[in-house]
Protein backbone atom coordinates (compact mmCIF):
# COMPACT_ATOMS: atom_id res chain seq x y z
CA UNK A 1 0.00 0.00 0.00
CA UNK A 2 1.20 3.47 -0.78
CA UNK A 3 3.32 1.97 -3.54
CA UNK A 4 4.23 3.97 -6.58
CA UNK A 5 4.08 2.49 -10.05
CA UNK A 6 5.23 3.44 -13.53
CA UNK A 7 3.60 2.71 -16.85
CA UNK A 8 4.52 -0.83 -17.88
CA UNK A 9 4.91 -2.17 -14.34
CA UNK A 10 3.28 -5.55 -13.86
CA UNK A 11 1.71 -7.09 -10.77
CA UNK A 12 0.29 -10.51 -10.02
CA UNK A 13 -1.49 -12.41 -7.29
CA UNK A 14 -1.23 -16.01 -6.15
CA UNK A 15 -2.19 -18.83 -8.51
CA UNK A 16 -5.31 -20.58 -7.29
CA UNK A 17 -7.06 -23.73 -8.45
CA UNK A 18 -10.78 -23.29 -8.96
CA UNK A 19 -11.51 -26.29 -6.76
CA UNK A 20 -14.98 -27.53 -5.98
CA UNK A 21 -14.38 -26.49 -2.38
CA UNK A 22 -13.54 -22.92 -3.39
CA UNK A 23 -16.65 -22.81 -5.58
CA UNK A 24 -18.64 -23.99 -2.56
CA UNK A 25 -17.04 -21.30 -0.36
CA UNK A 26 -17.91 -18.56 -2.84
CA UNK A 27 -21.47 -19.74 -3.38
CA UNK A 28 -22.13 -20.09 0.33
CA UNK A 29 -20.55 -16.73 1.15
CA UNK A 30 -22.65 -15.06 -1.53
CA UNK A 31 -25.84 -16.73 -0.33
CA UNK A 32 -25.08 -15.78 3.27
CA UNK A 33 -24.37 -12.15 2.35
CA UNK A 34 -27.67 -11.98 0.50
CA UNK A 35 -29.77 -13.72 3.12
CA UNK A 36 -28.12 -12.03 6.10
CA UNK A 37 -27.90 -15.43 7.80
CA UNK A 38 -25.72 -18.46 7.24
CA UNK A 39 -26.62 -20.36 4.07
CA UNK A 40 -25.08 -23.08 1.96
CA UNK A 41 -24.84 -22.90 -1.80
CA UNK A 42 -27.57 -24.75 -3.66
CA UNK A 43 -27.18 -27.12 -6.63
CA UNK A 44 -26.46 -25.05 -9.71
CA UNK A 45 -24.18 -24.69 -12.76
CA UNK A 46 -21.23 -24.01 -10.46
CA UNK A 47 -21.58 -27.01 -8.18
CA UNK A 48 -22.96 -29.86 -10.29
CA UNK A 49 -21.81 -31.19 -13.66
CA UNK A 50 -25.17 -32.74 -14.53
CA UNK A 51 -27.01 -29.50 -13.73
CA UNK A 52 -24.53 -27.53 -15.85
CA UNK A 53 -24.88 -29.98 -18.74
CA UNK A 54 -28.65 -29.56 -18.54
CA UNK A 55 -28.05 -25.87 -19.22
CA UNK A 56 -25.87 -26.60 -22.27
CA UNK A 57 -22.49 -26.25 -20.59
CA UNK A 58 -19.87 -29.01 -20.93
CA UNK A 59 -19.38 -29.20 -17.15
CA UNK A 60 -19.70 -27.12 -13.98
CA UNK A 61 -17.97 -23.73 -14.13
CA UNK A 62 -16.59 -21.42 -11.47
CA UNK A 63 -18.65 -18.33 -10.68
CA UNK A 64 -17.29 -15.39 -12.64
CA UNK A 65 -17.04 -13.36 -9.47
CA UNK A 66 -14.36 -15.74 -8.18
CA UNK A 67 -11.82 -14.59 -10.74
CA UNK A 68 -13.08 -11.01 -10.35
CA UNK A 69 -12.41 -11.24 -6.63
CA UNK A 70 -8.99 -12.84 -7.09
CA UNK A 71 -8.13 -9.85 -9.27
CA UNK A 72 -9.66 -7.56 -6.66
CA UNK A 73 -7.59 -9.09 -3.84
CA UNK A 74 -4.44 -8.52 -5.88
CA UNK A 75 -5.44 -4.86 -6.15
CA UNK A 76 -6.33 -4.50 -2.47
CA UNK A 77 -2.83 -5.73 -1.62
CA UNK A 78 -1.37 -2.85 -3.67
CA UNK A 79 -3.89 -0.04 -3.36
CA UNK A 80 -5.66 -0.82 -0.07
CA UNK A 81 -7.92 1.89 1.30
CA UNK A 82 -7.67 3.98 -1.86
CA UNK A 83 -9.29 1.15 -3.80
CA UNK A 84 -12.00 0.53 -1.21
CA UNK A 85 -12.88 4.22 -1.07
CA UNK A 86 -12.54 5.31 -4.67
CA UNK A 87 -11.44 2.52 -6.99
CA UNK A 88 -13.23 1.36 -10.12
CA UNK A 89 -12.97 -2.24 -11.33
CA UNK A 90 -14.45 -3.72 -14.49
CA UNK A 91 -14.18 -7.42 -15.29
CA UNK A 92 -15.53 -9.29 -18.28
CA UNK A 93 -15.82 -13.08 -18.13
CA UNK A 94 -14.76 -14.01 -21.64
CA UNK A 95 -14.07 -17.75 -21.19
CA UNK A 96 -15.43 -20.17 -18.59
CA UNK A 97 -13.22 -21.49 -15.81
CA UNK A 98 -13.82 -25.18 -15.12
CA UNK A 99 -13.35 -27.04 -11.86
CA UNK A 100 -9.71 -27.52 -10.82
CA UNK A 101 -8.25 -25.22 -13.46
CA UNK A 102 -5.38 -23.04 -12.23
CA UNK A 103 -5.89 -19.30 -12.47
CA UNK A 104 -3.47 -16.43 -11.82
CA UNK A 105 -4.58 -12.77 -11.54
CA UNK A 106 -2.34 -10.23 -13.25
CA UNK A 107 -2.22 -6.52 -14.00
CA UNK A 108 -0.21 -4.01 -16.00
CA UNK A 109 -0.04 -0.26 -15.41
CA UNK A 110 -1.17 1.57 -18.55
CA UNK A 111 -1.41 5.10 -17.12
CA UNK A 112 0.09 6.90 -14.12
CA UNK A 113 -0.92 10.56 -14.25
CA UNK A 114 0.03 13.12 -11.62
CA UNK A 115 -2.93 15.19 -10.46
CA UNK A 116 -3.19 18.46 -8.52
CA UNK A 117 -2.49 18.08 -4.82
CA UNK A 118 0.10 15.36 -5.25
CA UNK A 119 -2.20 12.48 -6.06
CA UNK A 120 -1.65 10.00 -8.89
CA UNK A 121 -4.34 8.50 -11.08
CA UNK A 122 -3.46 4.94 -12.06
CA UNK A 123 -5.12 2.87 -14.74
CA UNK A 124 -4.30 -0.83 -15.02
CA UNK A 125 -5.21 -3.49 -17.51
CA UNK A 126 -6.16 -6.50 -15.39
CA UNK A 127 -6.86 -10.11 -16.21
CA UNK A 128 -6.97 -13.68 -14.90
CA UNK A 129 -5.16 -16.28 -16.97
CA UNK A 130 -4.91 -20.05 -16.97
CA UNK A 131 -1.69 -22.05 -16.73
CA UNK A 132 -1.18 -21.71 -20.50
CA UNK A 133 -1.43 -17.92 -20.31
CA UNK A 134 -4.90 -17.83 -21.89
CA UNK A 135 -6.98 -14.98 -20.51
CA UNK A 136 -10.29 -16.13 -19.04
CA UNK A 137 -11.30 -12.84 -17.42
CA UNK A 138 -10.22 -9.40 -18.63
CA UNK A 139 -10.84 -5.88 -17.43
CA UNK A 140 -9.61 -2.53 -16.22
CA UNK A 141 -8.91 -0.91 -12.87
CA UNK A 142 -8.60 2.79 -12.05
CA UNK A 143 -7.78 4.47 -8.76
CA UNK A 144 -6.51 7.76 -7.42
CA UNK A 145 -3.78 7.38 -4.80
CA UNK A 146 -2.60 9.98 -2.31
CA UNK A 147 -3.24 13.67 -2.37
CA UNK B 1 -41.87 -5.96 -16.28
CA UNK B 2 -41.50 -6.46 -12.55
CA UNK B 3 -42.87 -9.36 -10.49
CA UNK B 4 -42.06 -11.94 -13.14
CA UNK B 5 -38.76 -13.62 -14.04
CA UNK B 6 -35.53 -11.73 -14.63
CA UNK B 7 -35.96 -12.62 -18.31
CA UNK B 8 -39.22 -10.61 -18.26
CA UNK B 9 -37.39 -7.36 -17.51
CA UNK B 10 -37.48 -4.66 -20.17
CA UNK B 11 -35.28 -1.66 -20.97
CA UNK B 12 -36.19 1.24 -18.71
CA UNK B 13 -37.68 -0.87 -15.94
CA UNK B 14 -37.08 0.71 -12.55
CA UNK B 15 -36.41 -1.97 -9.98
CA UNK B 16 -37.64 -1.90 -6.39
CA UNK B 17 -35.47 0.11 -4.03
CA UNK B 18 -34.29 -1.88 -1.05
CA UNK B 19 -32.66 -1.04 2.26
CA UNK B 20 -30.66 -3.30 4.54
CA UNK B 21 -28.21 -3.08 7.41
CA UNK B 22 -24.65 -4.10 6.67
CA UNK B 23 -23.75 -6.61 9.39
CA UNK B 24 -20.40 -8.14 10.31
CA UNK B 25 -21.77 -11.50 9.15
CA UNK B 26 -22.54 -10.12 5.68
CA UNK B 27 -19.17 -8.41 5.36
CA UNK B 28 -16.92 -11.11 6.76
CA UNK B 29 -18.69 -14.09 5.18
CA UNK B 30 -18.55 -12.52 1.73
CA UNK B 31 -14.83 -11.84 2.29
CA UNK B 32 -14.36 -15.43 3.47
CA UNK B 33 -16.18 -16.63 0.37
CA UNK B 34 -13.68 -14.83 -1.84
CA UNK B 35 -10.76 -15.83 0.41
CA UNK B 36 -9.74 -12.26 1.20
CA UNK B 37 -8.28 -12.16 4.70
CA UNK B 38 -7.38 -8.45 4.59
CA UNK B 39 -8.09 -6.95 7.98
CA UNK B 40 -10.28 -4.20 6.47
CA UNK B 41 -13.04 -6.79 6.00
CA UNK B 42 -12.81 -8.69 9.27
CA UNK B 43 -12.37 -6.16 12.06
CA UNK B 44 -13.19 -2.58 12.99
CA UNK B 45 -9.59 -2.05 14.08
CA UNK B 46 -8.39 -0.77 10.71
CA UNK B 47 -7.00 2.39 9.20
CA UNK B 48 -10.40 3.00 7.65
CA UNK B 49 -11.96 3.44 11.08
CA UNK B 50 -14.38 0.57 10.70
CA UNK B 51 -15.03 -2.85 9.20
CA UNK B 52 -15.65 -2.23 5.51
CA UNK B 53 -17.24 -4.46 2.90
CA UNK B 54 -15.08 -5.65 0.02
CA UNK B 55 -15.04 -3.32 -3.00
CA UNK B 56 -16.81 -6.01 -5.04
CA UNK B 57 -19.69 -6.51 -2.61
CA UNK B 58 -22.03 -4.33 -4.66
CA UNK B 59 -22.72 -7.65 -6.37
CA UNK B 60 -24.78 -8.52 -3.30
CA UNK B 61 -26.80 -5.32 -3.73
CA UNK B 62 -27.74 -6.46 -7.23
CA UNK B 63 -29.00 -9.81 -6.04
CA UNK B 64 -31.00 -8.26 -3.21
CA UNK B 65 -32.76 -5.87 -5.58
CA UNK B 66 -33.53 -8.62 -8.10
CA UNK B 67 -34.88 -10.80 -5.31
CA UNK B 68 -37.47 -8.11 -4.51
CA UNK B 69 -38.20 -7.10 -8.09
CA UNK B 70 -38.51 -10.43 -9.91
CA UNK B 71 -40.70 -12.35 -7.54
CA UNK B 72 -41.04 -15.51 -9.68
CA UNK B 73 -37.26 -15.98 -9.54
CA UNK B 74 -36.08 -15.50 -5.98
CA UNK B 75 -32.96 -17.63 -5.72
CA UNK B 76 -32.14 -16.72 -2.15
CA UNK B 77 -35.63 -17.84 -1.22
CA UNK B 78 -35.08 -21.01 -3.27
CA UNK B 79 -37.29 -20.17 -6.24
CA UNK B 80 -35.30 -20.61 -9.46
CA UNK B 81 -36.10 -20.07 -13.11
CA UNK B 82 -35.65 -22.85 -15.66
CA UNK B 83 -32.66 -21.12 -17.25
CA UNK B 84 -29.60 -20.34 -15.15
CA UNK B 85 -28.06 -16.94 -15.80
CA UNK B 86 -24.40 -16.49 -16.71
CA UNK B 87 -22.56 -13.44 -15.41
CA UNK B 88 -20.81 -11.67 -18.29
CA UNK B 89 -19.53 -8.29 -17.07
CA UNK B 90 -19.13 -6.61 -13.69
CA UNK B 91 -18.17 -2.97 -13.26
CA UNK B 92 -18.12 -1.30 -9.87
CA UNK B 93 -17.22 2.29 -9.08
CA UNK B 94 -16.59 2.71 -5.36
CA UNK B 95 -17.37 6.18 -4.05
CA UNK B 96 -16.82 5.63 -0.33
CA UNK B 97 -16.36 2.65 2.01
CA UNK B 98 -19.49 1.01 3.43
CA UNK B 99 -19.08 0.02 7.07
CA UNK B 100 -20.66 -2.56 9.33
CA UNK B 101 -23.59 -0.98 11.16
CA UNK B 102 -24.53 1.34 8.31
CA UNK B 103 -27.89 1.06 6.62
CA UNK B 104 -27.69 0.92 2.83
CA UNK B 105 -30.21 1.92 0.19
CA UNK B 106 -29.95 0.36 -3.28
CA UNK B 107 -31.72 1.65 -6.38
CA UNK B 108 -31.65 -0.31 -9.62
CA UNK B 109 -32.78 -0.02 -13.21
CA UNK B 110 -32.55 -1.90 -16.48
CA UNK B 111 -30.39 0.01 -18.93
CA UNK B 112 -30.91 -2.36 -21.82
CA UNK B 113 -32.01 -5.80 -22.92
CA UNK B 114 -30.44 -6.95 -26.17
CA UNK B 115 -29.57 -9.99 -28.23
CA UNK B 116 -26.05 -10.70 -29.45
CA UNK B 117 -25.13 -13.82 -31.45
CA UNK B 118 -28.43 -15.37 -30.51
CA UNK B 119 -28.01 -14.80 -26.77
CA UNK B 120 -30.06 -12.37 -24.67
CA UNK B 121 -28.32 -10.06 -22.25
CA UNK B 122 -29.58 -7.68 -19.57
CA UNK B 123 -27.58 -4.56 -18.69
CA UNK B 124 -28.30 -3.26 -15.19
CA UNK B 125 -27.27 -0.29 -13.09
CA UNK B 126 -27.42 -0.27 -9.29
CA UNK B 127 -26.71 2.79 -7.15
CA UNK B 128 -25.94 2.28 -3.47
CA UNK B 129 -25.83 4.95 -0.78
CA UNK B 130 -26.17 5.08 2.96
CA UNK B 131 -29.66 5.95 4.13
CA UNK B 132 -28.28 9.28 5.36
CA UNK B 133 -27.26 10.11 1.80
CA UNK B 134 -23.56 9.29 1.36
CA UNK B 135 -22.85 7.72 -2.06
CA UNK B 136 -21.21 4.29 -1.73
CA UNK B 137 -21.05 2.59 -5.13
CA UNK B 138 -22.38 2.35 -8.65
CA UNK B 139 -22.57 -1.11 -10.22
CA UNK B 140 -23.09 -1.75 -13.91
CA UNK B 141 -23.58 -5.37 -14.76
CA UNK B 142 -24.27 -7.48 -17.83
CA UNK B 143 -25.87 -10.87 -17.46
CA UNK B 144 -26.54 -13.54 -20.07
CA UNK B 145 -30.04 -14.86 -19.53
CA UNK B 146 -29.31 -18.41 -20.73
CA UNK B 147 -26.19 -20.12 -22.01
CA UNK B 148 -27.71 -21.85 -24.99
CA UNK B 149 -28.43 -19.52 -27.93
CA UNK B 150 -31.95 -19.02 -29.17
CA UNK B 151 -32.41 -21.35 -32.12
CA UNK B 152 -35.02 -19.46 -34.09
CA UNK B 153 -35.89 -15.86 -34.60
CA UNK B 154 -32.94 -14.29 -32.84
CA UNK B 155 -32.08 -10.84 -34.03
CA UNK B 156 -28.45 -10.76 -32.98
Amino acid sequence: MGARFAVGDEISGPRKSATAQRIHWYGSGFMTANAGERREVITNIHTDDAFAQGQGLPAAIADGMMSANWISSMLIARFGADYIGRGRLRTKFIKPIYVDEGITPRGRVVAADAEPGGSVRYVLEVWAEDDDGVKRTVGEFAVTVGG
Amino acid sequence: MLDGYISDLEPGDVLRTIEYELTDLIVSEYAHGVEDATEFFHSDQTALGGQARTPTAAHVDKMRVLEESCTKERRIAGNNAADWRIHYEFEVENLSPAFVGERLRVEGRVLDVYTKRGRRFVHFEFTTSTTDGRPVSILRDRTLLRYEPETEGSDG
Side-chain angles (χ1 to χ4, degrees):
Chain A
M1 288 169 216
R4 290 291 180 263
F5 298 95
V7 171
D9 284 354
E10 296 195 356
I11 61 174
S12 64
R15 175 192 181 277
K16 292 184 178 179
S17 294
T19 63
Q21 183 62 61
R22 283 189 158 119
I23 291 170
H24 186 95
W25 287 340
Y26 177 76
S28 298
F30 184 61
M31 290 286 286
T32 296
N34 276 287
E37 60 186 25
R38 291 192 190 282
R39 294 283 185 89
E40 293 291 317
V41 67
I42 60 174
T43 299
N44 60 36
I45 59 169
H46 308 302
T47 62
D48 188 275
D49 281 339
F51 189 101
Q53 288 159 1
Q55 296 285 317
L57 290 156
I61 59 173
D63 194 299
M65 287 305 292
M66 289 175 64
S67 60
N69 274 289
W70 293 346
I71 290 169
S72 181
S73 292
M74 169 185 74
L75 297 166
I76 288 165
R78 270 76 175 185
F79 298 100
D82 291 316
Y83 170 24
I84 295 168
R86 50 185 174 175
R88 182 178 63 79
L89 175 65
R90 180 176 64 82
T91 55
K92 189 181 288 187
F93 312 112
I94 58 172
K95 288 187 172 67
I97 296 170
Y98 295 97
V99 177
D100 289 334
E101 288 195 295
I103 296 294
T104 303
R106 298 192 184 280
R108 180 182 298 116
V109 178
V110 297
D113 298 322
E115 296 193 335
S119 60
V120 180
R121 180 72 170 170
Y122 290 111
V123 179
L124 281 77
E125 173 192 12
V126 295
W127 68 95
E129 65 182 31
D130 64 22
D131 291 340
D132 295 322
V134 176
K135 293 177 179 176
R136 304 297 186 90
T137 301
V138 298
E140 183 182 85
F141 174 71
V143 67
T144 299
V145 173
Chain B
M1 183 191 83
L2 271 59
D3 290 324
Y5 295 97
I6 291 170
S7 57
D8 293 328
L9 291 173
E10 298 169 335
D13 277 347
V14 176
L15 305 172
R16 291 207 170 88
T17 298
I18 60 138
E19 292 185 7
Y20 71 100
E21 182 179 338
L22 198 59
T23 66
D24 57 351
L25 179 78
I26 292 171
V27 169
S28 61
E29 286 302 301
Y30 189 82
H32 274 306
V34 302
E35 301 172 72
D36 197 317
T38 309
E39 193 67 5
F40 289 133
F41 315 127
H42 298 281
S43 159
D44 61 3
Q45 299 166 34
T46 73
L48 289 169
Q51 183 179 355
R53 69 177 190 172
T54 71
T56 52
H59 188 220
V60 174
D61 300 341
K62 164 189 143 183
M63 195 68 176
R64 283 175 174 264
V65 168
L66 292 176
E67 190 86 351
E68 292 304 315
S69 301
C70 303
T71 50
K72 290 183 179 176
E73 186 175 356
R74 305 181 72 214
R75 289 194 184 171
I76 306 305
N79 187 15
N80 295 314
D83 295 320
W84 204 265
R85 301 188 307 279
I86 305 278
H87 202 175
Y88 178 62
E89 187 172 16
F90 170 86
E91 179 179 9
V92 65
E93 182 175 0
N94 289 289
L95 305 171
S96 70
F99 294 111
V100 166
E102 291 192 301
R103 193 160 182 82
L104 303 181
R105 176 183 294 122
V106 188
E107 299 173 350
R109 62 192 178 114
V110 178
L111 298 177
D112 198 8
V113 179
Y114 60 95
T115 302
K116 184 176 181 181
R117 297 192 191 97
R119 290 184 163 106
R120 285 184 69 216
F121 293 80
V122 183
H123 191 193
F124 298 105
E125 182 178 80
F126 300 90
T127 303
T128 302
S129 59
T130 59
T131 51
D132 60 5
R134 192 184 81 245
V136 169
S137 63
I138 300 171
L139 169 65
R140 297 183 187 90
D141 187 282
R142 290 180 204 269
T143 297
L144 172 60
L145 287 171
R146 54 177 284 176
Y147 181 75
E148 291 190 318
E150 306 289 338
T151 52
E152 297 291 336
S154 67
D155 56 358

